[in-house]
Amino acid sequence: MKVLVVGGAGYIGSHMVKMLLADGHQVITFDDLSGGFRDAVLGGEFVEGDLADKLALDNVFALHQPDAVMHFASFIQVGESVQLPDKYYRNNFSNTVNLLDTMTAHRVKRFIFSSTAAIFGEPEYVPIDELHPTRPLNPYGRSKWMVEQMLADYGLAFGLRYVCLRYFNAAGADPAGLLGERHEPETHLIPLVLQAASGRRPHIAVFGRDYDTPDGTCIRDYIHIVDLCSAHLLALNMLNDGGQSNCFNLGNGEGFSVQQVIDATQRITGKSIRVVDAERRAGDPARLVADASRARRVLGWVPRHAELDAIIEDAWRWERTTAGHSNM
Ligand code: UFG
């Protein structure tokens, strides 16, 4: 298939491009490089462009005539979304309307959307399945939930078939060491702990030790980037085989606390990491764990890198590469 990967120069998108190429697909990456890196796109066509630019989008569809679209291009910082909601609604929502309208105009009817566990808000129960109520707590989560609702409407009106993949905590790196997480600024726990291990940061701050969890720190469900991408590939195949639109929660179903992540990182890297206790970060639920049984059942998804150690080992390989290059 010919797949347009929007945001293919970013962390998850670049791993997806690599996997699609390895699986024999033709890939066109469309990315404005606001958060991504040109050299993270390891093959296929590359088009530098902005989703706000409808003419540029139209040209890409006219020229390449993709069979399907995967959409990774969004802003992801919860705190920033509270300060700058306009930035989040404009890019994550409004620009996605542009993308879907261009797809409709060009009769492209298969769409895979990067959604998030943040659509659920404070969990009423864990593990969180797809039937859990959706009450996002911030503009980031709301912008993603708005797109999910819009997709249902576009499906009914225009025959769009789509899959929403709600990521829990994406982590890890390409096991071959060619790609990894390069957010600027970095806000995610695992890369920050690894930067503290490699000496790029003086310490790791633990945001709160008074949560209602066994060690008092927040629990998250970390999912290896390769397992995340393999779910996209299965979703693409399902749509291609005539499957119906659906939404899937993606995680391993096992939670690890912030302290457990730090302990595992010290063990794996052999480095001692300076830990500083800090205030709670606003909007952090105590525990987020996925029930991904629908993805296993419907897509046949089987995570192959489910252990936290495998996730940290691959991310550590990438951190050691990155720490040696000051421009990365
Ligand atoms: N944490 C620290 N110190 C840090 C960074 C993070 O203690 O320096 C803690 C956080 O408070 C949280 C846990 O580590 O308890 C994980 O934090 P991340 O920022 O790595 O991930 P989040 O769970 O906040 O967010 C991730 C994605 C979001 C998505 C969300 C879904 O990054 O895009 O999952 O819930 F919305």
Side-chain angles (χ1 to χ4, degrees), residues 19-43:
M19 188 179 283
L20 283 165
L21 290 168
D23 205 54
H25 297 283
Q26 277 178 270
V27 178
I28 309 105
T29 295
F30 185 85
D31 198 301
D32 66 0
L33 299 181
S34 61
F37 299 88
R38 176 66 186 88
D39 64 3
V41 183
L42 298 182

PDB file of all heavy atoms in Angstrom, residues 19-43:
ATOM      1  N   MET A  19       9.038   0.803  10.047  1.00  0.00           N
ATOM      2  CA  MET A  19       8.333  -0.479  10.038  1.00  0.00           C
ATOM      3  C   MET A  19       7.521  -0.673   8.758  1.00  0.00           C
ATOM      4  O   MET A  19       7.479  -1.771   8.193  1.00  0.00           O
ATOM      5  CB  MET A  19       7.424  -0.590  11.264  1.00  0.00           C
ATOM      6  CG  MET A  19       6.819  -1.959  11.431  1.00  0.00           C
ATOM      7  SD  MET A  19       5.768  -2.097  12.893  1.00  0.00           S
ATOM      8  CE  MET A  19       6.973  -2.237  14.187  1.00  0.00           C
ATOM      9  N   LEU A  20       6.886   0.388   8.286  1.00  0.00           N
ATOM     10  CA  LEU A  20       6.099   0.279   7.042  1.00  0.00           C
ATOM     11  C   LEU A  20       7.007  -0.077   5.870  1.00  0.00           C
ATOM     12  O   LEU A  20       6.657  -0.930   5.033  1.00  0.00           O
ATOM     13  CB  LEU A  20       5.393   1.606   6.745  1.00  0.00           C
ATOM     14  CG  LEU A  20       4.150   1.923   7.572  1.00  0.00           C
ATOM     15  CD1 LEU A  20       3.771   3.396   7.429  1.00  0.00           C
ATOM     16  CD2 LEU A  20       2.975   1.034   7.160  1.00  0.00           C
ATOM     17  N   LEU A  21       8.174   0.556   5.796  1.00  0.00           N
ATOM     18  CA  LEU A  21       9.107   0.271   4.696  1.00  0.00           C
ATOM     19  C   LEU A  21       9.569  -1.185   4.776  1.00  0.00           C
ATOM     20  O   LEU A  21       9.613  -1.892   3.766  1.00  0.00           O
ATOM     21  CB  LEU A  21      10.308   1.220   4.759  1.00  0.00           C
ATOM     22  CG  LEU A  21      10.004   2.693   4.423  1.00  0.00           C
ATOM     23  CD1 LEU A  21      11.187   3.583   4.803  1.00  0.00           C
ATOM     24  CD2 LEU A  21       9.663   2.862   2.935  1.00  0.00           C
ATOM     25  N   ALA A  22       9.873  -1.637   5.997  1.00  0.00           N
ATOM     26  CA  ALA A  22      10.329  -3.025   6.169  1.00  0.00           C
ATOM     27  C   ALA A  22       9.234  -4.009   5.778  1.00  0.00           C
ATOM     28  O   ALA A  22       9.515  -5.127   5.340  1.00  0.00           O
ATOM     29  CB  ALA A  22      10.752  -3.249   7.620  1.00  0.00           C
ATOM     30  N   ASP A  23       7.983  -3.575   5.906  1.00  0.00           N
ATOM     31  CA  ASP A  23       6.852  -4.448   5.571  1.00  0.00           C
ATOM     32  C   ASP A  23       6.471  -4.341   4.084  1.00  0.00           C
ATOM     33  O   ASP A  23       5.476  -4.919   3.659  1.00  0.00           O
ATOM     34  CB  ASP A  23       5.642  -4.072   6.456  1.00  0.00           C
ATOM     35  CG  ASP A  23       4.677  -5.234   6.629  1.00  0.00           C
ATOM     36  OD1 ASP A  23       5.141  -6.317   7.044  1.00  0.00           O
ATOM     37  OD2 ASP A  23       3.473  -5.085   6.324  1.00  0.00           O
ATOM     38  N   GLY A  24       7.229  -3.582   3.334  1.00  0.00           N
ATOM     39  CA  GLY A  24       7.025  -3.531   1.876  1.00  0.00           C
ATOM     40  C   GLY A  24       6.072  -2.453   1.380  1.00  0.00           C
ATOM     41  O   GLY A  24       5.692  -2.458   0.212  1.00  0.00           O
ATOM     42  N   HIS A  25       5.685  -1.525   2.261  1.00  0.00           N
ATOM     43  CA  HIS A  25       4.781  -0.454   1.836  1.00  0.00           C
ATOM     44  C   HIS A  25       5.569   0.706   1.226  1.00  0.00           C
ATOM     45  O   HIS A  25       6.736   0.907   1.533  1.00  0.00           O
ATOM     46  CB  HIS A  25       3.960   0.056   3.019  1.00  0.00           C
ATOM     47  CG  HIS A  25       3.072  -1.000   3.602  1.00  0.00           C
ATOM     48  ND1 HIS A  25       1.904  -1.389   3.007  1.00  0.00           N
ATOM     49  CD2 HIS A  25       3.212  -1.773   4.709  1.00  0.00           C
ATOM     50  CE1 HIS A  25       1.343  -2.350   3.735  1.00  0.00           C
ATOM     51  NE2 HIS A  25       2.116  -2.612   4.765  1.00  0.00           N
ATOM     52  N   GLN A  26       4.882   1.473   0.385  1.00  0.00           N
ATOM     53  CA  GLN A  26       5.436   2.739  -0.086  1.00  0.00           C
ATOM     54  C   GLN A  26       5.035   3.807   0.923  1.00  0.00           C
ATOM     55  O   GLN A  26       3.873   3.839   1.350  1.00  0.00           O
ATOM     56  CB  GLN A  26       4.842   3.112  -1.432  1.00  0.00           C
ATOM     57  CG  GLN A  26       5.511   2.448  -2.615  1.00  0.00           C
ATOM     58  CD  GLN A  26       4.802   2.860  -3.888  1.00  0.00           C
ATOM     59  OE1 GLN A  26       3.866   2.192  -4.302  1.00  0.00           O
ATOM     60  NE2 GLN A  26       5.222   3.951  -4.475  1.00  0.00           N
ATOM     61  N   VAL A  27       5.964   4.688   1.269  1.00  0.00           N
ATOM     62  CA  VAL A  27       5.684   5.662   2.325  1.00  0.00           C
ATOM     63  C   VAL A  27       5.975   7.081   1.848  1.00  0.00           C
ATOM     64  O   VAL A  27       7.013   7.337   1.226  1.00  0.00           O
ATOM     65  CB  VAL A  27       6.548   5.366   3.581  1.00  0.00           C
ATOM     66  CG1 VAL A  27       6.302   6.406   4.670  1.00  0.00           C
ATOM     67  CG2 VAL A  27       6.253   3.971   4.115  1.00  0.00           C
ATOM     68  N   ILE A  28       5.051   7.973   2.137  1.00  0.00           N
ATOM     69  CA  ILE A  28       5.283   9.402   1.946  1.00  0.00           C
ATOM     70  C   ILE A  28       5.152  10.048   3.318  1.00  0.00           C
ATOM     71  O   ILE A  28       4.115   9.931   3.972  1.00  0.00           O
ATOM     72  CB  ILE A  28       4.248  10.046   0.994  1.00  0.00           C
ATOM     73  CG1 ILE A  28       4.144   9.252  -0.291  1.00  0.00           C
ATOM     74  CG2 ILE A  28       4.585  11.509   0.728  1.00  0.00           C
ATOM     75  CD1 ILE A  28       2.904   8.413  -0.391  1.00  0.00           C
ATOM     76  N   THR A  29       6.200  10.711   3.761  1.00  0.00           N
ATOM     77  CA  THR A  29       6.140  11.424   5.044  1.00  0.00           C
ATOM     78  C   THR A  29       5.814  12.886   4.786  1.00  0.00           C
ATOM     79  O   THR A  29       6.427  13.523   3.927  1.00  0.00           O
ATOM     80  CB  THR A  29       7.495  11.323   5.779  1.00  0.00           C
ATOM     81  OG1 THR A  29       7.726   9.964   6.120  1.00  0.00           O
ATOM     82  CG2 THR A  29       7.512  12.172   7.042  1.00  0.00           C
ATOM     83  N   PHE A  30       4.840  13.398   5.528  1.00  0.00           N
ATOM     84  CA  PHE A  30       4.491  14.822   5.475  1.00  0.00           C
ATOM     85  C   PHE A  30       4.709  15.371   6.875  1.00  0.00           C
ATOM     86  O   PHE A  30       4.102  14.888   7.834  1.00  0.00           O
ATOM     87  CB  PHE A  30       3.024  14.963   5.052  1.00  0.00           C
ATOM     88  CG  PHE A  30       2.558  16.383   4.849  1.00  0.00           C
ATOM     89  CD1 PHE A  30       2.762  17.034   3.642  1.00  0.00           C
ATOM     90  CD2 PHE A  30       1.902  17.061   5.865  1.00  0.00           C
ATOM     91  CE1 PHE A  30       2.319  18.338   3.447  1.00  0.00           C
ATOM     92  CE2 PHE A  30       1.451  18.362   5.682  1.00  0.00           C
ATOM     93  CZ  PHE A  30       1.661  19.006   4.465  1.00  0.00           C
ATOM     94  N   ASP A  31       5.612  16.343   6.996  1.00  0.00           N
ATOM     95  CA  ASP A  31       5.977  16.814   8.344  1.00  0.00           C
ATOM     96  C   ASP A  31       6.502  18.238   8.224  1.00  0.00           C
ATOM     97  O   ASP A  31       7.237  18.562   7.283  1.00  0.00           O
ATOM     98  CB  ASP A  31       7.071  15.897   8.920  1.00  0.00           C
ATOM     99  CG  ASP A  31       7.218  16.014  10.430  1.00  0.00           C
ATOM    100  OD1 ASP A  31       7.490  17.138  10.918  1.00  0.00           O
ATOM    101  OD2 ASP A  31       7.062  14.987  11.116  1.00  0.00           O
ATOM    102  N   ASP A  32       6.121  19.093   9.175  1.00  0.00           N
ATOM    103  CA  ASP A  32       6.611  20.480   9.114  1.00  0.00           C
ATOM    104  C   ASP A  32       7.926  20.666   9.879  1.00  0.00           C
ATOM    105  O   ASP A  32       8.451  21.783   9.955  1.00  0.00           O
ATOM    106  CB  ASP A  32       5.549  21.467   9.627  1.00  0.00           C
ATOM    107  CG  ASP A  32       5.259  21.299  11.113  1.00  0.00           C
ATOM    108  OD1 ASP A  32       5.875  20.414  11.755  1.00  0.00           O
ATOM    109  OD2 ASP A  32       4.419  22.056  11.625  1.00  0.00           O
ATOM    110  N   LEU A  33       8.431  19.585  10.456  1.00  0.00           N
ATOM    111  CA  LEU A  33       9.699  19.586  11.192  1.00  0.00           C
ATOM    112  C   LEU A  33       9.672  20.531  12.402  1.00  0.00           C
ATOM    113  O   LEU A  33      10.720  20.949  12.884  1.00  0.00           O
ATOM    114  CB  LEU A  33      10.891  19.906  10.265  1.00  0.00           C
ATOM    115  CG  LEU A  33      11.093  18.905   9.117  1.00  0.00           C
ATOM    116  CD1 LEU A  33      12.310  19.298   8.266  1.00  0.00           C
ATOM    117  CD2 LEU A  33      11.289  17.486   9.647  1.00  0.00           C
ATOM    118  N   SER A  34       8.476  20.831  12.904  1.00  0.00           N
ATOM    119  CA  SER A  34       8.406  21.682  14.103  1.00  0.00           C
ATOM    120  C   SER A  34       8.842  20.885  15.332  1.00  0.00           C
ATOM    121  O   SER A  34       9.395  21.449  16.274  1.00  0.00           O
ATOM    122  CB  SER A  34       6.996  22.229  14.296  1.00  0.00           C
ATOM    123  OG  SER A  34       6.075  21.179  14.468  1.00  0.00           O
ATOM    124  N   GLY A  35       8.590  19.588  15.309  1.00  0.00           N
ATOM    125  CA  GLY A  35       9.021  18.766  16.440  1.00  0.00           C
ATOM    126  C   GLY A  35       9.833  17.573  15.979  1.00  0.00           C
ATOM    127  O   GLY A  35      10.463  16.891  16.793  1.00  0.00           O
ATOM    128  N   GLY A  36       9.829  17.317  14.696  1.00  0.00           N
ATOM    129  CA  GLY A  36      10.513  16.136  14.170  1.00  0.00           C
ATOM    130  C   GLY A  36      11.853  16.488  13.538  1.00  0.00           C
ATOM    131  O   GLY A  36      12.266  17.649  13.519  1.00  0.00           O
ATOM    132  N   PHE A  37      12.518  15.477  13.016  1.00  0.00           N
ATOM    133  CA  PHE A  37      13.855  15.651  12.455  1.00  0.00           C
ATOM    134  C   PHE A  37      13.915  14.975  11.088  1.00  0.00           C
ATOM    135  O   PHE A  37      13.535  13.799  10.958  1.00  0.00           O
ATOM    136  CB  PHE A  37      14.896  15.026  13.384  1.00  0.00           C
ATOM    137  CG  PHE A  37      14.906  15.656  14.755  1.00  0.00           C
ATOM    138  CD1 PHE A  37      14.067  15.180  15.763  1.00  0.00           C
ATOM    139  CD2 PHE A  37      15.719  16.745  15.031  1.00  0.00           C
ATOM    140  CE1 PHE A  37      14.053  15.768  17.017  1.00  0.00           C
ATOM    141  CE2 PHE A  37      15.709  17.339  16.286  1.00  0.00           C
ATOM    142  CZ  PHE A  37      14.877  16.854  17.280  1.00  0.00           C
ATOM    143  N   ARG A  38      14.417  15.707  10.115  1.00  0.00           N
ATOM    144  CA  ARG A  38      14.496  15.159   8.744  1.00  0.00           C
ATOM    145  C   ARG A  38      15.285  13.857   8.720  1.00  0.00           C
ATOM    146  O   ARG A  38      14.917  12.912   8.020  1.00  0.00           O
ATOM    147  CB  ARG A  38      15.125  16.218   7.819  1.00  0.00           C
ATOM    148  CG  ARG A  38      15.345  15.762   6.395  1.00  0.00           C
ATOM    149  CD  ARG A  38      14.032  15.496   5.685  1.00  0.00           C
ATOM    150  NE  ARG A  38      14.216  14.930   4.348  1.00  0.00           N
ATOM    151  CZ  ARG A  38      14.323  13.648   4.089  1.00  0.00           C
ATOM    152  NH1 ARG A  38      14.302  12.746   5.084  1.00  0.00           N
ATOM    153  NH2 ARG A  38      14.455  13.214   2.845  1.00  0.00           N
ATOM    154  N   ASP A  39      16.376  13.804   9.506  1.00  0.00           N
ATOM    155  CA  ASP A  39      17.224  12.600   9.446  1.00  0.00           C
ATOM    156  C   ASP A  39      16.626  11.405  10.190  1.00  0.00           C
ATOM    157  O   ASP A  39      17.194  10.314  10.179  1.00  0.00           O
ATOM    158  CB  ASP A  39      18.654  12.906   9.942  1.00  0.00           C
ATOM    159  CG  ASP A  39      18.710  13.298  11.398  1.00  0.00           C
ATOM    160  OD1 ASP A  39      17.656  13.289  12.068  1.00  0.00           O
ATOM    161  OD2 ASP A  39      19.814  13.617  11.891  1.00  0.00           O
ATOM    162  N   ALA A  40      15.464  11.611  10.833  1.00  0.00           N
ATOM    163  CA  ALA A  40      14.787  10.462  11.460  1.00  0.00           C
ATOM    164  C   ALA A  40      13.917   9.717  10.454  1.00  0.00           C
ATOM    165  O   ALA A  40      13.416   8.628  10.761  1.00  0.00           O
ATOM    166  CB  ALA A  40      13.933  10.938  12.640  1.00  0.00           C
ATOM    167  N   VAL A  41      13.735  10.290   9.275  1.00  0.00           N
ATOM    168  CA  VAL A  41      12.912   9.632   8.247  1.00  0.00           C
ATOM    169  C   VAL A  41      13.861   8.776   7.409  1.00  0.00           C
ATOM    170  O   VAL A  41      14.628   9.292   6.607  1.00  0.00           O
ATOM    171  CB  VAL A  41      12.172  10.668   7.379  1.00  0.00           C
ATOM    172  CG1 VAL A  41      11.270   9.975   6.377  1.00  0.00           C
ATOM    173  CG2 VAL A  41      11.360  11.610   8.258  1.00  0.00           C
ATOM    174  N   LEU A  42      13.802   7.468   7.633  1.00  0.00           N
ATOM    175  CA  LEU A  42      14.859   6.600   7.103  1.00  0.00           C
ATOM    176  C   LEU A  42      14.623   6.136   5.672  1.00  0.00           C
ATOM    177  O   LEU A  42      15.427   5.387   5.128  1.00  0.00           O
ATOM    178  CB  LEU A  42      15.039   5.388   8.026  1.00  0.00           C
ATOM    179  CG  LEU A  42      15.481   5.719   9.455  1.00  0.00           C
ATOM    180  CD1 LEU A  42      15.670   4.448  10.273  1.00  0.00           C
ATOM    181  CD2 LEU A  42      16.766   6.545   9.465  1.00  0.00           C
ATOM    182  N   GLY A  43      13.512   6.566   5.054  1.00  0.00           N
ATOM    183  CA  GLY A  43      13.300   6.164   3.661  1.00  0.00           C
ATOM    184  C   GLY A  43      11.972   6.671   3.145  1.00  0.00           C
ATOM    185  O   GLY A  43      11.252   7.386   3.842  1.00  0.00           O
TER     186      GLY A  43
END
